[in-house]
Amino acid sequence: ILNVEQSPQSLHVQEGDSTNFTCSFPSSNFYALHWYRWETAKSPEALFVMTLNGDEKKKGRISATLNTKEGYSYLYIKGSQPEDSATYLCAFKGAGKSTFGDGTTLTVKP
Amino acid sequence: NAGVTQTPKFQVLKTGQSMTLQCAQDMNHEYMSWYRQDPGMGLRLIHYSVGAGITDQGEVPNGYNVSRSTTEDFPLRLLSAAPSQTSVYFCASSTRSGSSYEQYFGPGTRLTVT
């Protein structure tokens, strides 16, 4: 079983704060690293797909970086808004299957 | 495009009953997977398939069977339901073209075993 770890497990911030989470994964047999956003009572939706060491992706106020050599990815949210409240999952794609971390649950208070 | 569809949305079973959770996708994706999600935990892989006729076990396969006779369908069978199988089940699909392997998830099936 592959070890994909996310930290912190949960995070409470005020509206307007910037925040970041970490995903660590095996540095061998790497195909891709995915970030998903998962709102309560909905299905996970893909945010970013990252495949190359040094990749940086951005979507609005959310960005992510990737370091495949040391096995970690950071997700950043700038100026958090209440609608950013969700669980953020990372998934390591190796040969044949994906392994998910347990997620970071973000709560943004107005 | 309907994407990934799952039926039923909710199901209550008694211990020992069997049932099949249905999953279908209309995106011609090669990869399909079944996950379960339990409180405080992320998504755990039950079974997956890399193409029609090919299936393999994930992290938590015990008590579940799958088959993949067509590209579109990937049903999950519970052979003899147990309370430990109370969970939310998600089906997902992805393409292997390019290198993204981004997964598209169905709406989930909430299963309660009493």
Side-chain angles (χ1 to χ4, degrees), chain A residues 39-91:
Chain A
E39 292 182 72
T40 302
K42 294 187 177 180
S43 306
E45 291 185 349
L47 272 176
F48 301 117
V49 178
M50 310 182 78
T51 57
L52 297 175
N53 185 46
D55 255 356
E56 291 188 26
K57 301 273 179 149
K58 187 174 181 182
K59 188 181 290 188
R61 293 178 291 96
I62 305 176
S63 60
T65 61
L66 178 68
N67 184 323
T68 59
K69 292 182 179 178
E70 295 182 38
Y72 65 84
S73 176
Y74 294 136
L75 186 79
Y76 302 91
I77 302 179
K78 184 178 178 182
S80 302
Q81 300 296 309
E83 57 265 29
D84 295 328
S85 297
T87 295
Y88 293 83
L89 293 172
C90 70

Side-chain angles (χ1 to χ4, degrees), chain B residues 22-43:
Chain B
Q22 301 291 345
C23 174
Q25 52 92 9
D26 61 1
M27 297 173 281
N28 203 32
H29 284 172
E30 297 90 344
Y31 289 165
M32 294 187 77
S33 303
W34 275 104
Y35 296 89
R36 59 178 287 173
Q37 192 261 327
D38 301 299
M41 304 183 78
L43 295 167

Side-chain angles (χ1 to χ4, degrees), chain A residues 7-53:
Chain A
S7 61
Q9 188 175 9
S10 64
L11 203 51
H12 292 74
V13 302
Q14 290 292 136
E15 182 175 354
D17 288 349
S18 293
T19 186
N20 64 86
F21 329 131
T22 304
C23 172
S24 62
F25 52 85
S27 53
S28 58
N29 294 319
F30 177 88
Y31 279 55
L33 192 284
H34 298 130
W35 282 100
Y36 292 86
R37 173 190 159 85
W38 193 2
E39 292 182 72
T40 302
K42 294 187 177 180
S43 306
E45 291 185 349
L47 272 176
F48 301 117
V49 178
M50 310 182 78
T51 57
L52 297 175
N53 185 46

Side-chain angles (χ1 to χ4, degrees), chain B:
Chain B
N1 263 1
V4 180
T5 58
Q6 290 182 237
T7 55
K9 288 190 176 178
F10 301 95
Q11 183 70 49
V12 179
L13 290 178
K14 293 189 190 305
T15 297
Q17 287 184 315
S18 62
M19 80 159 294
T20 298
L21 308 186
Q22 301 291 345
C23 174
Q25 52 92 9
D26 61 1
M27 297 173 281
N28 203 32
H29 284 172
E30 297 90 344
Y31 289 165
M32 294 187 77
S33 303
W34 275 104
Y35 296 89
R36 59 178 287 173
Q37 192 261 327
D38 301 299
M41 304 183 78
L43 295 167
R44 291 186 293 168
L45 182 65
I46 305 171
H47 286 285
Y48 67 101
S49 169
V50 299
I54 307 169
T55 63
D56 206 347
Q57 296 181 350
E59 301 171 58
V60 289
N62 292 340
Y64 307 96
N65 271 358
V66 291
S67 59
R68 183 98 181 269
S69 55
T70 67
T71 299
E72 294 78 20
D73 300 299
F74 191 43
L76 177 73
R77 279 181 288 277
L78 278 70
L79 308 172
S80 177
S84 60
Q85 292 179 305
T86 294
S87 188
V88 182
Y89 292 84
F90 288 96
C91 178
S93 72
S94 65
T95 181
R96 63 182 297 175
S97 65
S99 59
S100 67
Y101 303 99
E102 171 187 341
Q103 293 199 72
Y104 295 81
F105 286 84
T109 295
R110 186 173 294 274
L111 176 69
T112 302
V113 183
T114 60

